[in-house]
Amino acid sequence: MYALVDCNNFYASCERVFNPNLQGKPVAILSNNDGCVISRSDEAKALELPMGAPIFKWENFCKANNIHVLSSNYPLYGDMSSRVMKILEQFTPDVEVYSIDESFLEFKGFENHDFQDYGNQMRQRILKWTGIPTCVGIAPTKALSKVANKIARKFPKQTKGVYVIDSKEKRLKALKWTKLEDVWGIGRGIHKRLKAKGCKTAFDFTELPDDWVRKSFSITEWKLKKDLEGISKIKLDEVEDKQAIATTRSFEYTYSDIDNIRERISTFATSCAEKLRKQGSSCHVIYVILRSDRHKKDLEQHKASRMVSLPYPTDSTLIISQEAVHAVTHIFKEGIKYKRAGVIVMGLVPTNNHQLQMFETENPKHKPLMDAIDGLNTKYANYKIKLGNQDLKRTWKMRQERLTPRYTTNINDVILVK
């Protein structure tokens, strides 16, 4: 059996844990630089505030409807997500973190368990230990657990947040209730083709001949069909090393001077290098991108990129930052107002197992230096050790005018009980 555990309105729920005054009230969370709405509470959805709404266009609407609009507090959300996932690992060792607010669980050797009760235990423990409400869907396959989760979310009073598909009758009823466009893994293109075939529900999809699905689509869609039929074909994903690592961000404001852009690129490159070392990889290639603000049509536009090939693989912050800054200096154009930049490291190889070069090698002092920096930053957090060309006060410069405190990740923001 599989379970999908999904946190309800996760970003809004995290804010409500530490600010109970938001309970039962409409809440909207904004994207980077307070751009557009990326998360809404059920109350905000009921007021028909659209997902992706640019806040500068919907500001008056939010004020008129008393919608609490907050900046995204990613350190808080990431920490709360980690706590939820650690609780789930107490129920089974086989956990696949699917996103920041949902996970798949596989139950091996649980044949004699009461899954309704087990789902209730998971939900209650998460709520008690973190304050985050969840819904749990349990079924014989991953795809069906997604369907079960949707039913639990749609009918909270009847299901009490937990729904188990454990019989053929429940499975068929659930598939006939689920619209085709709501099926996990069915995108717009596939939906359009299946709709032309007369499919309206998930049940209609399962009624199609296997041979036709294999010929018309890929093995992925065939596996999805079998999963919906109750035959497990989609397994938990194993954690694999990334083939490329990227750090791209929009700036807090537009920058037209090279000094600010160099500082941003250095910070992005540092982040990539830290991710490389955490994964145990080194890179052969550094790719730097720089973009102007495409939304300001009246201004001169410019977008450019530069690729740097290294003579030897490295995970050194010093080398990656130096090469990235050198690259962005070459593609920078005077008089342009830049809004976005990024650094991508590619050509990854294991740090402890790669081809050595005879004449060009990395400075042997870099590795112990990086180990020391990583150790100090892990111990003291908030990235205390930085390069000299970085802003010493901030890692990401974003407009966050409605930001709430980082209640669980900053000692100065911990709530005081009087």
Side-chain angles (χ1 to χ4, degrees):
M1 296 288 279
Y2 291 84
L4 177 69
V5 181
D6 184 21
C7 301
N8 302 343
N9 305 319
F10 181 61
Y11 290 177
S13 294
C14 289
E15 300 289 354
R16 285 170 167 170
V17 169
F18 300 96
N19 186 359
N21 293 326
L22 297 176
Q23 294 287 353
K25 297 179 181 178
V27 178
I29 309 298
L30 301 179
S31 63
N32 290 344
N33 295 310
D34 291 347
C36 56
V37 175
I38 58 171
S39 179
R40 304 159 296 165
S41 66
D42 289 336
E43 296 81 6
K45 294 175 185 176
L47 293 170
E48 298 184 354
L49 175 66
M51 181 69 90
I55 194 60
F56 74 93
K57 291 184 178 180
W58 290 80
E59 188 81 58
N60 292 333
F61 176 87
C62 292
K63 289 181 179 178
N65 290 278
N66 296 316
I67 299 176
H68 297 263
V69 182
L70 305 173
S71 300
S72 47
N73 192 339
Y74 293 121
L76 174 65
Y77 308 152
D79 182 65
M80 294 299 287
S81 173
S82 177
R83 294 176 188 226
V84 170
M85 303 313 167
K86 281 183 171 61
I87 293 172
L88 292 177
E89 290 172 359
Q90 298 174 3
F91 291 89
T92 174
D94 300 308
V95 178
E96 175 195 332
V97 179
Y98 187 64
S99 68
I100 193 172
D101 63 345
E102 58 183 326
S103 282
F104 284 105
L105 288 72
E106 185 176 6
F107 302 108
K108 298 176 182 176
F110 284 69
E111 289 78 9
N112 298 321
H113 272 65
D114 180 345
F115 284 106
Q116 184 71 39
D117 179 64
Y118 210 54
N120 286 326
Q121 289 183 41
M122 286 191 286
R123 190 169 183 271
Q124 290 167 8
R125 188 176 299 179
I126 292 170
L127 183 63
K128 183 176 181 180
W129 291 11
T130 68
I132 302 293
T134 57
C135 284
V136 181
I138 301 176
T141 68
K142 284 179 72 175
L144 284 174
S145 71
K146 265 279 192 180
V147 174
N149 185 276
K150 285 183 179 293
I151 294 173
R153 186 80 169 88
K154 183 70 174 179
F155 305 102
K157 291 183 179 180
Q158 295 90 330
T159 64
K160 295 183 180 179
V162 179
Y163 189 71
V164 182
I165 297 177
D166 53 4
S167 67
K168 182 179 179 180
E169 292 74 18
K170 282 187 175 182
R171 180 178 67 83
L172 294 177
K173 186 178 180 180
L175 293 178
K176 290 176 181 178
W177 171 81
T178 305
K179 295 179 181 178
L180 184 63
E181 59 266 31
D182 293 335
V183 175
W184 175 54
I186 300 244
R188 291 183 181 179
I190 298 174
H191 174 251
K192 187 176 180 180
R193 294 170 64 186
L194 290 175
K195 188 177 180 181
K197 193 72 175 175
C199 293
K200 295 181 180 179
T201 66
F203 176 76
D204 296 335
F205 178 48
T206 61
E207 290 294 289
L208 295 173
D210 281 354
D211 291 342
W212 183 85
V213 173
R214 286 292 296 269
K215 290 178 181 178
S216 304
F217 300 100
S218 68
I219 187 68
T220 302
E221 284 69 41
W222 176 80
K223 286 183 177 180
L224 175 60
K225 177 180 180 294
K226 304 309 288 184
D227 241 49
L228 293 172
E229 292 173 2
I231 303 170
S232 181
K233 294 294 181 182
I234 305 175
K235 304 301 181 182
L236 291 189
D237 290 339
E238 296 182 359
V239 178
E240 297 181 355
D241 288 343
K242 296 179 180 179
Q243 300 304 307
I245 292 175
T247 301
T248 61
R249 296 285 188 278
S250 293
F251 302 144
E252 182 181 16
Y253 306 103
T254 55
Y255 292 140
S256 56
D257 63 297
I258 188 62
D259 291 336
N260 269 309
I261 292 174
R262 282 173 177 159
E263 190 278 328
R264 290 292 81 201
I265 287 294
S266 178
T267 297
F268 299 164
T270 298
S271 175
C272 287
E274 288 166 352
K275 293 175 184 177
L276 279 174
R277 295 195 292 275
K278 189 174 182 179
Q279 180 174 290
S281 298
S282 295
C283 70
H284 275 287
V285 178
I286 303 169
Y287 188 67
V288 178
I289 57 176
L290 190 60
R291 300 284 187 270
S292 58
D293 193 344
R294 60 186 177 87
H295 296 292
K296 295 183 178 180
K297 306 295 184 182
D298 56 322
L299 298 178
E300 183 182 353
Q301 300 293 309
H302 180 239
K303 59 180 181 179
S305 60
R306 190 178 182 90
M307 184 176 291
V308 180
S309 296
L310 303 173
Y312 48 82
T314 183
D315 62 1
S316 169
T317 297
L318 300 178
I319 296 174
I320 295 173
S321 174
Q322 177 182 333
E323 294 296 338
V325 169
H326 185 67
V328 81
T329 303
H330 276 80
I331 62 177
F332 172 79
K333 187 177 178 181
E334 289 285 352
I336 302 294
K337 292 189 175 181
Y338 291 100
K339 183 61 177 176
R340 187 175 181 84
V343 176
I344 306 172
V345 290
M346 302 179 290
L348 307 190
V349 295
T351 299
N352 59 1
N353 183 21
H354 62 261
Q355 182 68 45
L356 299 177
Q357 301 293 325
M358 181 175 292
F359 300 108
E360 292 185 278
T361 59
E362 185 176 275
N363 188 328
K365 294 181 179 179
H366 283 203
K367 181 171 175 49
L369 176 60
M370 294 302 110
D371 290 342
I373 290 174
D374 290 341
L376 289 170
N377 283 336
T378 300
K379 182 176 181 179
Y380 296 105
N382 295 326
Y383 300 95
K384 297 295 183 183
I385 308 298
K386 295 186 178 184
L387 299 184
N389 60 358
Q390 288 182 259
D391 189 317
L392 300 180
K393 295 181 179 180
R394 298 182 65 180
T395 302
W396 310 124
K397 290 186 174 181
M398 293 190 296
R399 183 183 297 120
Q400 294 177 304
E401 297 172 353
R402 314 163 200 250
L403 185 64
T404 54
R406 292 172 291 173
Y407 299 102
T408 65
T409 60
N410 189 321
I411 191 65
N412 297 317
D413 291 340
V414 172
I415 292 176
L416 297 178
V417 179
K418 297 182 180 180

